[in-house]
Amino acid sequence: MVAAASAAVAVVAVGPDALVWVPVTLLVWVFIEWRGTWLLRGARRGLLAGLATLALPLSVLRPCCRVDADMSSGTCCTMPGACVAVGALLGLSLALLVPRVSDEHRATTAIGMVLGVGSVAALRCSALLFGEAAGLIGGLVAGVVAANLARAWMDRGQLGARS
C-alpha cells in the first residue's frame, strides 16, 4: 500500500520518470513490513519526511535555475549543496517524530527511519542529477541520525535527572 500510494503521489509531483524507482520502494517496504516491530515503527515516521520530499519544487533543490528553465539545456546549474541542506532540514525535522525507545531498540528504529525516508525520497530523485540525488538522500540520512542521537542524549539526561 505504501509503495502504491507513494507512486501515485510521485507521478503527480515529479512525473512518470519516478515510476522507475517504485520497485525499490516496494522491496524496501516489503522488507520493513516483514521485519516489523521497531523497524516498522521507525519507518512509518520516516515515511512522512520522504513524502515531504515529493512536495519540494525543483526551484528549491536547484535555486540557481529560473522557474521556467529547461533542465536539459545548459542554462541551469546543479547545486548538490542545496539538496544536502534541504535533506538535512527535513531529516532534522524528524526529531519531533523520533519515538522514545529503549537503548536496545534505538538503532533498529533509526535504521527504519532511514529506510522509510530513503525509499520514498528515491522517487523524488528521479528528477535530479546523481550529485543532487546523493546530496538529498545524504542530507536526509544525516538529519535522521542527528535527530536520533539528540533523542538518545535527551533520554539519558531525563534518566539522570530521575536518579
Side-chain angles (χ1 to χ4, degrees), residues 49-69:
L51 289 174
T53 64
L54 296 177
L56 291 173
L58 276 177
S59 60
V60 171
L61 299 171
R62 289 183 175 163
C64 61
C65 297
R66 290 188 341 257
V67 174
D68 61 344

Side-chain angles (χ1 to χ4, degrees), residues 1-2 9 12 18 25 27 35 48 57 76 82-83 113 115-116 142-143 146-147 157:
M1 295 298 291
V2 170
V9 172
V12 171
T25 303
L27 289 174
R35 292 295 301 162
L48 297 174
C76 192
C83 295
M113 289 180 81
L115 287 173

Side-chain angles (χ1 to χ4, degrees), residues 101-159:
V101 296
S102 62
D103 286 344
E104 62 197 48
H105 300 296
R106 190 174 312 280
T108 306
T109 305
I111 290 168
M113 289 180 81
V114 168
L115 287 173
V117 155
S119 69
V120 180
L123 300 172
R124 175 43 145 160
C125 292
S126 65
L128 302 174
L129 299 175
F130 178 75
E132 294 168 330
L136 181 63
I137 298 290
L140 284 165
V141 169
V144 167
V145 169
N148 276 286
L149 289 174
R151 171 60 80 182
W153 182 71
M154 288 181 347
D155 287 349
R156 288 192 194 280
Q158 290 174 354
L159 287 174

Side-chain angles (χ1 to χ4, degrees), residues 83-102:
C83 295
V84 171
V86 169
L89 284 174
L90 284 172
L92 286 172
S93 70
L94 286 173
L96 302 171
L97 301 172
V98 174
R100 289 182 175 219
V101 296
S102 62

Side-chain angles (χ1 to χ4, degrees), residues 68-89:
D68 61 344
D70 179 17
M71 299 299 172
S72 62
S73 70
T75 62
C76 192
C77 65
T78 62
M79 293 201 58
C83 295
V84 171
V86 169
L89 284 174

